[in-house]
Amino acid sequence: MVRIVRAVRACAAAAALAVAVSATGPAAAYEPIVEKKTFTMDSYTTINGETIRELKVGWEAYGTLNQARDNVILIAHFFSGTSHAAGRYSQDGARGYWDSIIGSGKPIDTDKYYVISVDSLVNLNTGSEHVVTTGPASTNPETGEPYGMDFPIVEIGDFVRVQKRLLANLGIDRLHAVMGASMGALQAYDWASRYPDAVDRVIPVIGSGFADPFLIGWLDVWAQPIRLDPNWNGGDYYGGERPKAGLAAALKTVTLHAQSWPWAQQAFGRTWANEDADPAKSFDNSYAVEATLDKVAKDRAATADANHFLYLVKANQLFVAGSKDTPEAGLKAIDAPTLMLQAEGDLVFFPGLADQTQRMIESDGTPVERARIPGDRGHLNGVLNIQSQGDKIRAFLDRKVGE
Amino acid sequence: MVRIVRAVRACAAAAALAVAVSATGPAAAYEPIVEKKTFTMDSYTTINGETIRELKVGWEAYGTLNQARDNVILIAHFFSGTSHAAGRYSQDGARGYWDSIIGSGKPIDTDKYYVISVDSLVNLNTGSEHVVTTGPASTNPETGEPYGMDFPIVEIGDFVRVQKRLLANLGIDRLHAVMGASMGALQAYDWASRYPDAVDRVIPVIGSGFADPFLIGWLDVWAQPIRLDPNWNGGDYYGGERPKAGLAAALKTVTLHAQSWPWAQQAFGRTWANEDADPAKSFDNSYAVEATLDKVAKDRAATADANHFLYLVKANQLFVAGSKDTPEAGLKAIDAPTLMLQAEGDLVFFPGLADQTQRMIESDGTPVERARIPGDRGHLNGVLNIQSQGDKIRAFLDRKVGE
């Protein structure tokens, strides 16, 4: 008895799950090819007081830096993301995840702004040809071997401090705005709290000003399959078999957590993965939603690193804006006008946490605006449906501070 | 630098996480000791057409069966629960999880109703002295060895059919009401759909009339740590080391998923697990929320079985009320007036799914009432705060069908 309830659109759903979002820009707009660059520091001392030698991160930019070097917008990326926020690396390459709002004539207008984006420390995608990062998979110059779990623990604030050094290196000492989604929002809050004199506007999207304990617990749940995979081996796997099954399971959890029930219902219904394989008949038979999530996770795991995942989890758990003692102190330190964008149905960052974040920023009079990104994609609305807030973002960026 | 933000109440939170909820009944009420009994079937054929020999399930009852045998209320239990819905097994034993609403003079009044509850097939808690169940951890009479993953796949409908046989054995052929929380709600819907002539009222709490694909995906995420634990060994572990780490990780996911962010914030804040062990300094150092979840999960795993967990996941994924081809057909088959109770902030069953379930039941004119259980405990509000709906439940049970 075949219990197919709804027509399946599993392929479409799988494509939509992919991080790189294809968006069509104005056909006539000049569109330069994006060049990935590398920033190197001989030595970097973490917030925790440990030293990382030969630190490298990748970065890219869209638009032109003006003479006054005051037209800079920094875009920070999400947990599983990279610096590829807009444009393409080649004529047939995938467009950056926020290409719908960044470009010539778009809300973050590259005819006007110099938009820069940086691969984070311990970036997840060590196997991607375009990502440059430093983390446990990197070679420790002192031993000639990968660091593994000997790599220093880093915080969101360390990502930000490295970005600050990169900008200083480019002669940039202040930001017209800093913006990011999810973990990128955490970096945006951190920038504004850590360097209040260097940030003119903040646009945190689908994030909050500190890691609340429910998120801390979920981050631990995301990570636990990696530690259960015997190939993880305490993080020492670079010479042998990688913990791909554990990493794929971790990425599956993240993928599902970032989605929503309406998405699953529309994309899959209760359709089977294989119409000849009734899930009631065998543990080997699954539903389409399971098979698609498995495939997406396996594909993502192929270019990701398990230890980097654990370091990202730690960095997110530790997050309080500006590395201050309390969320209240961290957010009160923000002086820049803030545009908070939350997503409908977000299961990672809840509206109540945005309320708390807003109150803490406003506690000394800093103005906060808020808007809700609509859609059926849960947390991912913040990436996939950001263009719905285009006018609001454009107006916020255009407004003179103090107006 | 100690970043303790809020006073911790980790011990209180750990206790509140325990499934058995301590509630105080009227001090003067007569309170008999609950006796656990066993129902045995020589042979049971599953919906899938497979035979289970020497099937046993535990059951218990509160109140007195009347002469007409028409005062019966069946209570079905949740995923990690047991038949222990009310009362105590001994003078100092833990009270059943819904003791706040079941008992002498309570909304489900045992002076009036005969309330019966049954351990499900493949019940999780095989190591509990009070649980009687049949599943992969049971001995296969044909081999003299535990079934492991050779145990037949069972559905929610199989749990219900076994309950029906138990009731028939007691001379009971109809239910004044069937009620349950979460997986218990699934059983309540199934009863009303499968046996419309035997059910007079349905009270599904924190559930829906079918497993939607988002839930199917989450159930898979719950299960995946078990399969990653090398001790799981394809389900063949009864002679050796059990997959305790994988099972604890699975139970941790369930526990967190059933909770809410306000609960975590109130119970833990960003407090460290150990005030001398800064989480920023080591991967061995964690937050209080993580340590408590770990402890609760480890304790629960000690008396649970990993294969039973996988069979429960499968049963829940397969769920469509009445094992019908579609949710629409399954829910249209319900004729009994239905009181649906949803929980505020539930992250497992969303309000939109309750809307769909309601519409499908009402499609042929069956009346549905709904109410929302308030509280800061997410899905668990349906267990911990059920007494808030006491008056509504009492009135619904007292009302003559057709009124």
Side-chain angles (χ1 to χ4, degrees), chain A residues 1-6 47-48 149 151 153 155 210-214 216-218 220-221 224-230 245-246 248-250 252-253 256-257 259-261 263-265 268-270 278-287 289-290 293-294 310-311 314 316-320 323-328 347 350-353 356 360, chain B residues 1-6 47-48 149 151 153 155 210-214 216-218 220-221 224-230 245-246 248-250 252-253 256-257 259-261 263-265 268-270 278-287 289-290 293-294 310-311 314 316-320 323-328 347 350-353 356 360:
Chain A
M1 178 175 61
V2 180
R3 293 186 196 163
I4 295 181
V5 177
R6 282 178 186 75
I47 292 168
N48 225 337
M149 299 300 283
F151 191 77
I153 288 176
E155 303 188 16
F210 58 100
D212 70 291
F214 200 56
I216 290 172
W218 274 110
D220 180 44
V221 163
Q224 63 185 4
I226 291 171
R227 292 189 294 259
L228 281 164
D229 186 329
K252 179 160 62 170
T253 310
L256 193 62
H257 204 175
Q259 281 285 1
S260 71
W261 75 265
W263 159 78
Q265 202 170 71
F268 305 103
R270 289 184 44 85
D278 182 351
K281 300 295 184 193
S282 166
F283 276 91
D284 293 333
N285 301 346
S286 66
Y287 287 93
V289 63
E290 297 176 277
L293 286 168
D294 274 337
L310 299 181
Y311 275 77
K314 188 63 141 176
N316 279 274
Q317 290 179 319
L318 294 171
F319 177 65
V320 172
S323 301
K324 297 290 197 300
D325 281 359
T326 64
E328 289 81 356
L347 300 176
F350 295 89
L353 292 169
Q356 293 179 345
M360 292 177 196
Chain B
M1 180 174 60
V2 179
R3 293 186 196 162
I4 296 181
V5 177
R6 280 178 189 75
I47 292 168
N48 224 338
M149 299 300 283
F151 191 77
I153 287 176
E155 303 187 16
F210 59 98
D212 71 290
F214 200 57
I216 290 172
W218 273 111
D220 180 44
V221 163
Q224 63 187 3
I226 291 171
R227 293 188 295 259
L228 281 165
D229 187 329
K252 180 160 59 172
T253 310
L256 193 62
H257 203 174
Q259 281 285 1
S260 71
W261 75 265
W263 159 78
Q265 203 169 71
F268 304 104
R270 288 184 43 84
D278 182 351
K281 300 294 182 192
S282 165
F283 277 90
D284 293 333
N285 301 347
S286 65
Y287 286 93
V289 64
E290 298 177 276
L293 287 167
D294 274 338
L310 298 180
Y311 275 77
K314 189 64 142 173
N316 280 274
Q317 290 179 319
L318 294 172
F319 177 65
V320 173
S323 301
K324 297 290 197 301
D325 282 0
T326 64
E328 289 82 357
L347 300 176
F350 295 88
L353 292 168
Q356 294 180 343
M360 292 177 195

Side-chain angles (χ1 to χ4, degrees), chain B residues 270-402:
Chain B
R270 288 184 43 84
T271 310
W272 302 347
N274 177 336
E275 65 176 31
D276 300 320
D278 182 351
K281 300 294 182 192
S282 165
F283 277 90
D284 293 333
N285 301 347
S286 65
Y287 286 93
V289 64
E290 298 177 276
T292 298
L293 287 167
D294 274 338
K295 184 181 178 338
V296 170
K298 197 176 164 193
D299 289 350
R300 293 175 76 173
T303 54
D305 181 80
N307 286 338
H308 280 231
F309 191 105
L310 298 180
Y311 275 77
L312 282 171
V313 159
K314 189 64 142 173
N316 280 274
Q317 290 179 319
L318 294 172
F319 177 65
V320 173
S323 301
K324 297 290 197 301
D325 282 0
T326 64
E328 289 82 357
L331 293 168
K332 192 177 174 185
I334 294 176
D335 293 332
T338 303
L339 172 60
M340 295 173 63
L341 301 177
Q342 255 59 46
E344 182 179 348
D346 191 333
L347 300 176
V348 184
F349 293 96
F350 295 88
L353 292 168
D355 296 344
Q356 294 180 343
T357 298
Q358 177 179 8
R359 279 196 299 272
M360 292 177 195
I361 297 173
E362 287 177 338
S363 64
D364 63 353
T366 304
V368 176
E369 285 176 63
R370 280 175 65 176
R372 196 176 72 144
I373 305 166
D376 270 350
R377 304 301 291 275
H379 187 60
L380 267 190
N381 284 323
V383 178
L384 303 179
N385 296 333
I386 189 68
Q387 74 287 352
S388 67
Q389 306 305 304
D391 290 347
K392 205 174 291 284
I393 293 165
R394 188 191 297 268
F396 184 77
L397 291 175
D398 285 354
R399 206 179 309 151
K400 287 208 180 101
V401 173

